[in-house]
Amino acid sequence: MKEANKKAMRQIVHRHIDADFTKALDNYFTALDGETPSGLYEMVIESAERSLFQFVLKRFNGNRTLAAKVLGLSRTTFRERLNTYQLVEASPKKSQRTT
C-alpha cells in the first residue's frame, strides 16, 4: 500500500474510533445520571488497551511476538500487560506443540 493510501486509511480509522469513543463516553455519562465519575482516565485506557490486545492477538492467531511488534511494544511489556488484563492463555507444553 502506498504511503498516501496508508495515511488516508489512518485518518478514516481515527475518525471512526473517535466517533465510537465519544458515543461510548456519552452513554457512560448518561448512565451515571448526574453522578461524578471516578478514575475515568484509568477506566478508559484499560478498556481500550484490553480491547486492542484482544483484537491484535486474534488477528494474528495468538502470535504474541508478532502482536507485540505490530503494537510497537517489547515482548516483555506486552506479556506484562497481557498478565495485567488476564489475557494470557497457558502455552502448550513442548510435547503438545505442533511443528
Side-chain angles (χ1 to χ4, degrees):
M1 183 181 285
K2 293 183 179 181
E3 197 58 38
N5 290 342
K6 286 181 184 179
K7 186 175 181 179
M9 183 61 74
R10 284 187 184 127
Q11 289 173 344
I12 291 168
V13 170
H14 282 280
R15 282 196 302 269
H16 285 287
I17 290 172
D18 288 347
D20 290 345
F21 178 74
T22 300
K23 185 175 181 174
L25 280 176
D26 188 45
N27 290 339
Y28 175 67
F29 276 88
T30 298
L32 286 175
D33 196 30
E35 282 188 47
T36 302
S38 176
L40 181 62
Y41 178 82
E42 185 176 323
M43 179 191 75
V44 168
I45 296 302
E46 286 179 4
S47 178
E49 197 168 54
R50 173 189 275 280
S51 294
L52 177 62
F53 290 173
Q54 286 174 320
F55 176 84
V56 172
L57 278 170
K58 184 176 180 181
R59 178 76 176 166
F60 295 103
N61 298 315
N63 184 326
R64 294 181 201 169
T65 300
L66 184 54
K69 183 177 180 180
V70 167
L71 292 167
L73 299 173
S74 71
R75 290 184 317 181
T76 301
T77 298
F78 186 54
R79 184 178 58 247
E80 288 170 354
R81 298 229 179 111
L82 290 176
N83 285 329
T84 297
Y85 300 126
Q86 299 176 348
L87 297 175
V88 180
E89 294 179 15
S91 297
K93 294 180 182 177
K94 286 184 180 182
S95 61
Q96 295 174 337
R97 291 183 185 160
T98 58
T99 54

